[in-house]
Structures are given as structure tokens and as C-alpha cells.
Amino acid sequence: MGVLHRFYRLLVMALCGAGAAVAAWVSGGVLQSDGAAHDAAVFARARLAGTPPSPSPAVAVVGLDWASLESDEIRSLPRTLMTPKWAGLIDLLSDAGARVVAFDMVFQFSVNSLVPNYDRPFLAALARHGKILVLARTGDTSPASPFLFAVGARTDPAALGLTELLPESDGAVRAAPEGFPDGRGGLLPGLAA
């Protein structure tokens, strides 16, 4: 079985190398094939290593997936009306010892303009935990002004992170930038920072 296993590893490495060479030939140069070569190297490493490395216990990602969106608790709730749920989540994560809580969604609308005080729990949570919160924005879209004020974004630029992802020449996104040029020689922080 050891010989077969070694043969399989060599075959996978050869196929990955051949794939990278074909990608370089088809794309017409090394620069455009960097992404394909990177992908092939990551694939080969994963196949050869067998099991992925354990994630850092210092980082936890709390995701809102389709199963969550279909749960009985929030199925019929539009995302704009979820601010009371986000308030509870912020409190829960802070109580659990989170040093940073970043939202990878732009809170563009405040329901307070339609239903007075609807966003009050969320605004209170933003104000209470503003030092550990980062809200997402894009180049064109910022959070609604009540949320900006509550989290302290007017005085602390680290309270906002740009969420743009820049594809490489082959269209794949392989990294999230830590910052974006602000047009004045500085950098605006990205959500990854």
C-alpha cells in the first residue's frame, strides 16, 4: 500500500504541475498564470497533507447561512428588520470575550424612520460595545447615519471597514486587501484589517 500511496502523491503533483504549465501556456505568460499556479499548489498541498491544519482558536466566524435564514425564528423577518437580533448577538459575543466583532454586511437602512425606536436595541449595543465593533461599508455605501454615530465611526475610522474584494486577472478572488487608497496618499482600512 505504501508504494501505491507514494505513486498517488507523485501523480497528483505531476497533474498539478501540468495544469499550471497548461494554464501558463494558454494565458500567454507567467503573470496571468500566477493565480492558476497558486490554486494548483494549494490543491496539491491539501491532497498531500491529507487533513487541513486546525483553525486558530483565537478566531471564530459566526456565519448567517441559508439554514439560519430558514430557521423558524427569522424565516419571515426581512434582513432590514433584524437589528434587534444583531443587538443580542453583539451582547452575546462581547460577553463571550470577543476582542473584535466585524459585520460583513452594510447596515444601509435604519427602520427608525418608519417605526420609531425600532433600532433602539441595536443602537444601544453599538454604543455599548463600539470599541470592539467594525461595521462594513463599500466605496459607494455607508451604514445609515444613526449606526455610524452609535458605533463612533465619526471619530474612530477603525469602526468602518471596506468590504470590496478585488479579483485577480483570471477573475478569482484569493485575498482580501487590508486597505484601499483614499486618494490622498493614505489608506482606508479594509474589513480584513
Side-chain angles (χ1 to χ4, degrees), residues 58-108:
V59 177
V61 176
V62 179
L64 183 64
D65 58 8
W66 287 112
S68 302
L69 289 171
E70 287 299 315
S71 70
D72 292 337
E73 185 177 357
I74 61 175
R75 177 182 301 139
S76 61
L77 192 62
R79 291 182 195 148
T80 303
L81 299 177
M82 292 177 67
T83 56
K85 304 291 184 192
W86 300 134
L89 178 65
I90 291 170
D91 288 335
L92 181 74
L93 293 172
S94 176
D95 291 347
R99 293 189 329 210
V100 176
V101 176
F103 283 93
D104 191 7
M105 62 181 75
V106 180
F107 296 108
Q108 187 177 3

Side-chain angles (χ1 to χ4, degrees), residues 72-152:
D72 292 337
E73 185 177 357
I74 61 175
R75 177 182 301 139
S76 61
L77 192 62
R79 291 182 195 148
T80 303
L81 299 177
M82 292 177 67
T83 56
K85 304 291 184 192
W86 300 134
L89 178 65
I90 291 170
D91 288 335
L92 181 74
L93 293 172
S94 176
D95 291 347
R99 293 189 329 210
V100 176
V101 176
F103 283 93
D104 191 7
M105 62 181 75
V106 180
F107 296 108
Q108 187 177 3
F109 304 104
S110 172
V111 180
N112 280 349
S113 60
L114 301 172
V115 180
N117 296 319
Y118 184 86
D119 291 326
R120 179 177 277 186
F122 186 54
L123 291 168
L126 292 176
R128 251 190 329 274
H129 305 292
K131 293 293 182 201
I132 67 166
L133 293 172
V134 181
L135 299 182
R137 64 165 288 204
T138 68
D140 300 329
T141 308
S142 288
S145 51
F147 306 141
L148 288 174
F149 285 111
V151 79

Side-chain angles (χ1 to χ4, degrees), residues 163-180:
T163 60
E164 273 80 8
L165 296 175
L166 305 173
E168 294 182 13
S169 61
D170 63 357
V173 175
R174 293 184 180 86
E178 290 190 26
F180 298 86

Side-chain angles (χ1 to χ4, degrees), residues 1-18 40-41 43-51:
M1 196 53 115
V3 173
L4 271 175
H5 188 67
R6 271 184 266 162
F7 176 77
Y8 175 74
R9 284 182 171 193
L10 288 172
L11 180 61
V12 169
M13 288 175 55
L15 288 173
C16 289
F43 174 78
R45 180 174 165 211
R47 295 300 298 173
L48 294 174
T51 58

